Amino acid sequence: MAVRRQYRGGTVPLPLVAVALATVLLSTGCSGDGAVATAGPPTAAGPSRPGRAAVRAAVDELARAGTARVRTAMEMVSGHTRVTIEGRGAFDLARRTGQLRVTLPPGADGAPPGERRLVRELVTPGALYMRNRAGVPGDKWVRVDTTSLPDGNLVTGGATDPVTAAQLLRGAHRMAYAGATELDGVRVWRYSGVVDIERAAAGAPPLARRQLKAAEKGFSGHMVPFDAYLDEQGRLRMVQHRFTFAADPDSPPDADYAVSSTTRLHAFGTRVRIAMPETGDIWTGRIAAP
């Protein structure tokens, strides 16, 4: 699997999850380790659960919550090979802006064998900023227009940010209640179903709509299975989306990549301070992503 794409700061880099998988395939041919966040055992009866309508309204409830800390895990599977990218950060959910520190698998994105590259990311409406990518000076950021990405930045950055993950749920249907459990000591209710990306885009605000409409053609079909966990206040505590996309436009369906993206929120109301890069800190040179 050898893909080489030239890009200039502000255009489209290869998805971090694809870069990570390529590294593992080329170097070891083995499956990677890493766990996607999962819920604990069911708890006893407690507060009343939110209804199905709360799933579609999750993005609005997050905006009212203000801020939160975030943990992400993105697992990609191709054949018998599996890699996981993990992230941690904090988001201003009302302003749809946040920061993540994304840890790649050992040796990925130009890191020496056995070492894990830590990529800093700033997520804003319509743009993703990344620092410490291969081929970029250490003190510079790469800016990507997320409305131009073929996946709408659902997987490109190695994490699905909580606002975009919640925006997807606007298109949720065929939902079923799947029981109660606990996350971080909080009682939550799980709903399973599928997201129609086209329907989600139609119900999203303008900038998010452009981003989701870009994603409509970036995957193998616009129906995405999900599991969403809501607390008593209707706040999204965890959501997992399962995407598939083709390794190559001409490849058969059984060659598709499967990407499971988990976004987990906690510590609502935490203080979040985000400093955006100055114009002179944004890299405009041409680099290559392996």
Side-chain angles (χ1 to χ4, degrees):
M1 178 179 178
V3 179
R4 190 170 183 84
R5 181 180 302 175
Q6 294 286 335
Y7 69 94
R8 187 176 296 275
T11 60
V12 183
L14 280 177
L16 282 182
V17 70
V19 170
L21 180 62
T23 303
V24 174
L25 284 170
L26 292 171
S27 62
T28 67
C30 301
S31 63
D33 291 327
V36 174
T38 56
T43 60
S48 60
R49 64 182 170 91
R52 297 181 184 180
V55 176
R56 298 190 187 95
V59 67
D60 301 317
E61 197 58 51
L62 285 184
R64 285 188 283 271
T67 61
R69 296 196 180 279
V70 177
R71 299 196 297 271
T72 65
M74 185 169 286
E75 182 180 74
M76 185 174 185
V77 178
S78 177
H80 298 291
T81 302
R82 180 186 68 194
V83 296
T84 301
I85 299 175
E86 299 169 332
R88 290 178 178 267
F91 270 74
D92 185 326
L93 301 165
R95 296 184 178 183
R96 297 167 49 210
T97 301
Q99 54 192 355
L100 289 170
R101 292 179 178 269
V102 178
T103 304
L104 304 184
D109 201 31
E115 293 188 15
R116 305 184 71 179
R117 181 181 291 275
L118 181 67
V119 177
R120 292 182 59 191
E121 297 186 356
L122 299 177
V123 181
T124 69
L128 168 68
Y129 297 83
M130 293 185 289
R131 187 169 176 173
N132 199 31
R133 286 298 309 268
V136 179
D139 61 343
K140 298 294 183 182
W141 296 83
V142 174
R143 182 187 183 279
V144 181
D145 178 358
T146 53
T147 64
S148 68
L149 293 173
D151 70 331
N153 195 37
L154 294 176
V155 301
T156 289
T160 306
D161 74 82
V163 178
T164 305
Q167 290 283 6
L168 271 177
L169 293 176
R170 291 185 185 274
H173 65 120
R174 300 213 302 263
M175 281 182 285
Y177 172 59
T181 187
E182 279 194 359
L183 288 173
D184 301 316
V186 176
R187 186 171 176 79
V188 293
W189 289 265
R190 174 187 172 191
Y191 288 89
S192 298
V194 295
V195 163
D196 184 330
I197 300 179
E198 186 175 356
R199 181 184 294 186
L207 203 55
R209 184 180 305 130
R210 289 174 56 196
Q211 188 173 340
L212 291 176
K213 284 189 74 67
E216 287 179 24
K217 299 179 181 179
F219 298 98
S220 302
H222 55 83
M223 296 294 185
V224 179
F226 76 88
D227 291 287
Y229 299 77
L230 278 65
D231 65 16
E232 182 187 10
Q233 296 165 267
R235 297 177 303 193
L236 188 65
R237 288 283 181 160
M238 187 171 81
V239 60
Q240 182 181 71
H241 292 99
R242 294 176 290 282
F243 305 101
T244 57
F245 63 95
D248 183 270
D250 300 321
S251 60
D254 59 1
D256 286 357
Y257 293 136
V259 179
S260 175
S261 179
T262 303
T263 305
R264 192 163 177 167
L265 300 96
H266 63 109
F268 288 101
T270 191
R271 187 178 182 184
V272 177
R273 298 180 63 181
I274 300 171
M276 299 304 298
E278 300 290 340
T279 302
D281 294 330
I282 299 176
W283 177 245
T284 58
R286 187 176 296 275
I287 66 174

